[in-house]
Amino acid sequence: MTDSPLASFLLPDGYARPSLAAVLQERTVVVEAGRYVVRARQERRERRSRPYTGRSAARAVEPVILVPGFTAGDGSLRLMARTLRERGYRTYRSQIRANVGCTLNAAAQLESRLEAIALRRGTRVQVVGHSLGGMIARGIAVRRPDLVSGIVTLGSPMLAPAAHHVALSWGVETLVRLSRAGVPGLMAEECVAGVCARQSFDECRAPLSPDVTFTAVYSRRDGVVDWRACIDPTAVAVEVGSSHLGMAFDPAVIDHVSAALRRGADGVGVRGLQIA
């Protein structure tokens, strides 16, 4: 097996895997977590200072589902979900405990979840996806615009899924080997180098329905994936200064996510726009 178990078509020309040292940029995740704590305390004090009847934010109409990244589960986006709820968004979990299985199977599971939420709420759903979760969200939005009104991707290398740090390749290779050994529910070779991988990749490049808004959040400081692969030309591109892992809870990123969800609720999505 080569140094990457993923198919070569997942790393098109013009993109590269971050260097071994690039992962050191992820150490700022501690600072970003601290910023979340400080911001959460400030917002809590502000809410307590308001009259009781004015403490709750107006409830957004469209529900929001959050999808975790590779190897992560819903708990990785718990802090973001909490803040969004405090701002009036009705958030839902993806029900993915650990994003380590076949991407198409994960997409099918999420699609069923979206159908249930849309039926319950009588409206389409907005999807926020971190890393791999964003790529899954984009694929579903291509297939099911009747369920998805907008997507927000966070550090999702849709244009080159294999443009990631070698440590992730090691993780993928481990999952493939375990799957080959008979462990169920894990990524198999087809998922990373076969027809399954090709379908997932093609859906990440396919055009979205005009009425599905799309915001792609990226960071030049990303130590896990090539940030250039996260900028879909059809999306509203938003640059942040956080680490890859920190996108899940950095207050500045959450602010941008909240703004993107508002744009989605208003049906505003200027494709190709850059927001710094």
Side-chain angles (χ1 to χ4, degrees):
M1 187 170 285
T2 63
D3 61 342
S4 174
L6 284 83
S8 59
F9 63 78
L10 297 177
L11 186 58
D13 292 339
Y15 302 98
R17 299 164 67 185
S19 67
L20 287 172
V23 74
L24 295 176
Q25 298 181 103
E26 294 297 303
R27 64 183 182 272
T28 60
V29 68
V30 177
V31 177
E32 290 145 8
R35 286 204 291 260
Y36 177 88
V37 172
V38 172
R39 170 72 75 83
R41 288 176 176 172
Q42 290 175 341
E43 292 185 347
R44 193 177 303 116
R45 285 196 296 268
E46 290 174 0
R47 285 194 301 274
R48 288 174 177 172
S49 66
R50 300 180 199 140
Y52 183 78
T53 54
R55 291 183 183 180
S56 298
R59 179 69 68 181
V61 175
E62 289 185 334
V64 178
I65 190 168
L66 290 85
V67 189
F70 178 58
T71 74
D74 285 325
S76 66
L77 294 170
R78 179 174 56 85
L79 298 180
M80 179 177 289
R82 176 190 295 175
T83 301
L84 292 177
R85 285 195 301 273
E86 290 171 349
R87 296 181 182 183
Y89 296 97
R90 192 186 300 274
T91 66
Y92 290 84
R93 298 178 180 179
S94 67
Q95 297 184 342
I96 294 176
R97 292 188 177 89
N99 206 345
V100 295
C102 170
T103 301
L104 291 184
N105 287 345
Q109 175 185 331
L110 183 61
E111 189 173 325
S112 296
R113 177 74 167 143
L114 286 167
E115 287 178 341
I117 296 171
L119 182 62
R120 179 179 179 183
R121 294 299 168 191
T123 183
R124 294 192 297 171
V125 185
Q126 296 204 69
V127 187
V128 178
H130 185 210
S131 198
L132 176 59
M135 291 187 281
I136 293 173
R138 197 192 187 296
I140 293 176
V142 167
R143 294 195 310 275
R144 299 296 306 272
D146 59 315
L147 294 176
V148 180
S149 62
I151 58 174
V152 183
T153 59
L154 309 173
S156 302
M158 295 156 291
L159 306 184
H164 58 234
H165 196 274
V166 66
L168 262 68
S169 294
W170 295 336
V172 170
E173 182 174 358
T174 298
L175 293 175
V176 169
R177 287 181 173 179
L178 290 172
S179 176
R180 194 184 301 130
V183 179
L186 301 180
M187 288 183 179
E189 289 178 275
E190 277 295 300
C191 301
V192 299
V195 175
C196 178
R198 170 57 76 176
Q199 180 179 337
S200 296
F201 181 54
D202 288 346
E203 287 180 346
C204 276
R205 304 293 294 269
L208 289 166
S209 173
D211 65 343
V212 176
T213 60
F214 181 13
T215 300
V217 178
Y218 70 97
S219 172
R220 294 173 190 263
R221 293 189 55 261
D222 197 313
V224 176
V225 304
D226 184 344
W227 61 270
R228 298 171 300 174
C230 303
I231 308 176
D232 191 307
T234 67
V236 175
V238 178
E239 181 175 1
V240 297
S242 73
S243 64
H244 182 84
L245 298 176
M247 287 186 190
F249 44 75
D250 187 306
V253 174
I254 296 176
D255 287 345
H256 282 298
V257 170
S258 183
L261 294 173
R262 285 197 300 272
R263 288 195 298 271
D266 294 336
V268 178
V270 185
R271 304 292 174 85
L273 180 68
Q274 291 271 345
I275 299 177

